[in-house]
Amino acid sequence: MNKILLKQISILSVIAGIILAFLTLIPFVGQLAFIVLMAFVAALVIVFMVKIDLLEILSIRESVVLGALIGFISFMAFAVVYLPIVALLGRFFNLYYLYGISLILNVGSFGVIFMLTVFVATLSATINAFTAFITFYVLEFLKSIDKNDNNNDKFKM
């Protein structure tokens, strides 16, 4: 795999993780943003890169690896931004929707929190790998439909 492509995917994954971290802080949007982070961020990044012609997925293995990479990196970036903000908000304000996370951050040690974050990032990588796999098939299906339409238009003339 190309190193420049991996850097571009990593940067886009970090940006997506940071944006979703700030969106997760909003009370009614937070649950939806977290679901997008856990399951659909790889599809969003892959479709974005395909639309601007930075990425051409050639195999199923590449799509699964890219999805896992995007899921892991985006969740780690999310955790780096989200957890300190929640810890600060939990210290100064009694917000009901952040109570459980701020309690864990106050009681847990750094090692436990880090291990939990890596475990959830691995879970996000697994789910996003499957989502990228499905995205690959949908993109290939749409490409084949477009080719068939173009071929049919040529024969009609």
Side-chain angles (χ1 to χ4, degrees):
M1 208 175 279
N2 192 356
K3 288 184 181 182
I4 296 173
L5 179 66
L6 288 176
K7 288 179 184 179
Q8 291 171 343
I9 288 172
S10 299
I11 290 170
L12 285 174
S13 299
V14 167
I15 291 170
I18 291 171
I19 290 170
L20 289 170
F22 285 115
L23 288 176
T24 306
L25 291 170
I26 302 170
F28 297 109
V29 180
Q31 293 173 348
L32 181 64
F34 191 74
I35 290 170
V36 168
L37 173 73
M38 289 298 291
F40 300 114
V41 73
L44 295 175
V45 170
I46 288 174
V47 167
F48 175 73
M49 291 186 76
V50 167
K51 289 289 182 187
I52 61 173
D53 292 329
L54 288 177
L55 178 66
E56 173 123 0
I57 300 174
L58 300 174
S59 69
I60 296 172
R61 180 184 295 169
E62 285 180 1
S63 68
V64 171
V65 169
L66 290 179
L69 185 69
I70 292 168
F72 188 83
I73 291 173
S74 64
F75 190 85
M76 291 304 282
F78 167 84
V80 165
V81 172
Y82 182 74
L83 293 178
I85 293 173
V86 168
L88 288 174
L89 288 175
R91 285 241 186 241
F92 298 116
F93 303 107
N94 290 328
L95 301 173
Y96 69 94
Y97 66 94
L98 297 176
Y99 181 71
I101 297 171
S102 63
L103 179 69
I104 290 172
L105 290 174
N106 289 333
V107 174
S109 67
F110 177 76
V112 170
I113 294 169
F114 181 74
M115 186 173 53
L116 182 64
T117 303
V118 170
F119 173 73
V120 177
T122 306
L123 179 65
S124 174
T126 305
I127 296 169
N128 277 300
F130 179 73
T131 306
F133 174 69
I134 297 298
T135 304
F136 168 74
Y137 270 115
V138 169
L139 289 174
E140 287 296 316
F141 179 71
L142 292 175
K143 191 185 297 184
S144 69
I145 288 175
D146 190 38
K147 283 182 182 178
N148 288 339
D149 287 344
N150 289 338
N151 289 338
N152 289 340
D153 290 341
K154 289 179 184 177
F155 290 124
K156 288 182 181 178
M157 290 182 187

